[in-house]
Amino acid sequence: MAAIPALEFAEPNLISEIASEIRSTFLSHKTRSLQFRLVQLRKLYWGLKDNANAIETACKLDISKGVFETNLSELNFCTNTIIYDINNLEKWAKDENSPDVPIDMMVLRPKIRKDPLGAVLIIGPYNFPVNLLICPLAGAIAAGNTVVIKPSENAPNVAVVLQKVIEGYLDQSCYRVVQGAIPQSTALLEQKWDKIFYTGGATVGTIIAKKAAETLTPVTLELGGRNPAVVTRNADIRLAARRLLWGKVHNAGQVCISQNYTLIDKEVFDRFVLETRKAMKEYYPNGTRNTEDFGRIVNNRQWQRLKKMLDDSQGRILMGGDMDESDRYIEPTVIQVSSLTDSLIANESFGPLMPLLPVSNLDEAIRIANEVQATPLAMFPFGNKTETDRCLAEIRSGGASVNDGFMHGSLPTLAFGGVGESGQGAYRGKASFDCFTHARTITSTPGWAEFLMAVRYPPYKGKLKMLRRMELKPDFDREGRMKYSLVRYILSLGAASKRAGLLRYLVVLISALGLKQYFGM
């Protein structure tokens, strides 16, 4: 294939013009048509397929990502997402009937309409430079928005190829690419958007949230976190070691939802380390230095950051530790630490470093996890059902994978997002469509229903009693205790609601009719 050209940054003073064009297109209603959206999604699919070799090459150049990993977590993930969106778009975009409407209000025909938000800005990261840009883009297209995307300048070759895809396959009046670094990002944030979607670190996420607040622009922030893994004495230690090691070697550990540290019951600590060594040998029989199956750190600045974290740690290296800055190589490294202030616990590593902290029991593990970070992006409990249920109930996180490493983030149909410090909002699957959609409540009052509306019009004399008759009555007392009525029990056949009672009566009626027909009564 032809060499990938150098990345060219956009002129910051032209960005306002691009944003204006994108907004004008949205206001022309061009993207409202479902057929238009479907065509754009289909073209995006083929844009990725036709440029698959270039994307593989770009991922290798930018982050030393092998062909298999590029297809697994970049290309296939995106194409599967696009086809899923295409297959479900008509269903998602339909008006919804409003639930639980009182009978006397059904004449208003309330419904929920799925309106696109408008002109959207999507800013992508470097670690999954295709996946984490194309998947939200697909959601924004499906929802009927116009979009400007800003790829990461730290993955320049992927940025160039994605620009080729979007400019060569999508409608340029609706979807544009802006390349650049801080000046271009700053210029983009000066524009008025209807939604900003950002994936990256919390520091930049905070800047974006503050800037968006100036114009009351909604944001989705997909950030990182100091994600805990918990391994109890009742866990399957071999599986825990294999699965958590995979979470730290995939993409050379540059994964926002891989575990940042692992809390392990002292009773099984040595077994876990032994099984990790076995798994390492199985995954990389000839080591990680000379294999396409293990990537590299994205740039020297990030390599230096990781080296400093390891140098500052008071922990003891149990496995790995080999480094080479000229190749941006860091061997998967397991370290035993003893303090929550250790550099490997206090900071997000975002690399192939595996700090292990021995604990006495599950109570201590839960306490430490909550102390390190209240709302991480992910959490990984390994143990029996009682133990993992406790972890899910007592440790907050954006998502969780029970007895596995970040599987909940590997399915393109499941909603994915952070909470608190690890982000806000969610996307993927239907959540991507919802992320870029405004659920608009609509009622339509017919003229003949005017007499039903009479109670709302002045003068109000004599209408208070009528209003109070319309008020819902509680089935509980002032102490919060439920009140039970024999009449209500009979009328509802013991169901908790009128609707459930009606269903029970229907079941009884159908059963009676069936018995009558069966016995010839």
Side-chain angles (χ1 to χ4, degrees), residues 270-290:
D270 291 338
R271 284 172 53 205
F272 181 88
V273 174
L274 176 64
E275 292 296 341
T276 302
R277 290 196 179 105
K278 288 181 181 178
M280 187 69 180
K281 189 66 177 175
E282 180 184 335
Y283 295 167
Y284 305 103
N286 298 314
T288 54
R289 189 66 181 264
N290 300 307

Side-chain angles (χ1 to χ4, degrees), residues 55-105:
I55 290 171
E56 291 171 354
T57 300
C59 286
K60 183 66 176 177
L61 290 170
D62 287 339
I63 204 166
S64 296
K65 190 175 292 191
V67 172
F68 181 83
E69 280 199 1
T70 295
N71 280 273
L72 174 68
S73 58
E74 303 276 14
L75 281 166
N76 288 9
F77 198 99
C78 292
T79 54
N80 288 343
T81 292
I82 293 168
I83 289 178
Y84 182 76
D85 290 352
I86 290 169
N87 291 341
N88 288 278
L89 179 54
E90 291 189 14
K91 176 179 65 176
W92 294 340
K94 283 183 179 178
D95 288 353
E96 288 183 13
N97 292 325
S98 184
D100 302 321
V101 178
I103 292 176
D104 56 338
M105 291 290 112

Side-chain angles (χ1 to χ4, degrees), residues 181-414:
I182 293 176
Q184 288 75 17
S185 297
T186 301
L188 283 167
L189 292 175
E190 290 295 332
Q191 312 308 312
K192 174 65 179 103
W193 304 98
D194 297 298
K195 180 69 178 275
I196 299 175
F197 187 104
Y198 168 76
T199 303
T203 301
V204 176
T206 302
I207 294 170
I208 289 173
K210 286 180 179 179
K211 193 64 183 175
E214 293 177 6
T215 52
L216 299 179
T217 300
V219 296
T220 293
L221 302 175
E222 297 297 342
L223 311 177
R226 286 170 284 163
N227 311 316
V230 177
V231 180
T232 75
R233 65 187 64 185
N234 296 308
D236 184 321
I237 303 305
R238 176 178 176 275
L239 282 182
R242 288 172 56 81
R243 292 173 178 180
L244 288 174
L245 177 63
W246 173 77
K248 275 298 182 181
V249 298
H250 182 73
N251 206 36
Q254 296 162 108
V255 184
C256 60
I257 54 170
S258 67
Q259 77 278 8
N260 198 59
Y261 62 98
T262 303
L263 302 163
I264 307 180
D265 193 294
K266 293 176 181 177
E267 189 175 298
V268 295
F269 185 90
D270 291 338
R271 284 172 53 205
F272 181 88
V273 174
L274 176 64
E275 292 296 341
T276 302
R277 290 196 179 105
K278 288 181 181 178
M280 187 69 180
K281 189 66 177 175
E282 180 184 335
Y283 295 167
Y284 305 103
N286 298 314
T288 54
R289 189 66 181 264
N290 300 307
T291 175
E292 187 186 65
D293 294 340
F294 183 73
R296 297 295 185 266
I297 306 307
V298 67
N299 55 40
N300 290 92
R301 181 170 62 86
Q302 294 298 330
W303 188 94
Q304 285 286 352
R305 180 187 60 81
L306 286 164
K307 181 179 185 302
K308 186 175 188 307
M309 284 183 66
L310 192 57
D311 289 344
D312 291 346
S313 173
Q314 300 301 308
R316 179 167 60 97
I317 294 178
L318 304 177
M319 185 185 84
D322 188 24
M323 295 185 177
D324 182 354
E325 184 174 8
S326 65
D327 191 31
R328 306 193 314 276
Y329 169 75
I330 295 181
E331 184 181 15
T333 303
V334 177
I335 313 99
Q336 180 177 348
V337 298
S338 59
S339 168
L340 301 191
T341 60
D342 192 279
S343 58
L344 296 174
I345 300 287
N347 303 291
E348 181 183 3
S349 64
F350 209 65
L353 306 179
M354 284 186 66
L356 311 180
L357 180 61
V359 295
S360 299
N361 49 46
L362 183 56
D363 289 338
E364 184 182 6
I366 290 173
R367 178 185 61 77
I368 290 173
N370 286 321
E371 186 175 339
V372 170
Q373 186 176 21
T375 52
L377 183 58
M379 187 263 293
F380 310 99
F382 289 78
N384 61 35
K385 188 175 187 308
T386 300
E387 292 166 335
T388 58
D389 282 351
R390 264 200 73 192
C391 289
L392 292 173
E394 299 179 30
I395 302 173
R396 290 179 290 170
S397 65
S401 293
V402 176
N403 291 321
D404 210 340
F406 69 76
M407 274 306 295
H408 71 280
S410 304
L411 301 178
T413 58
L414 290 183

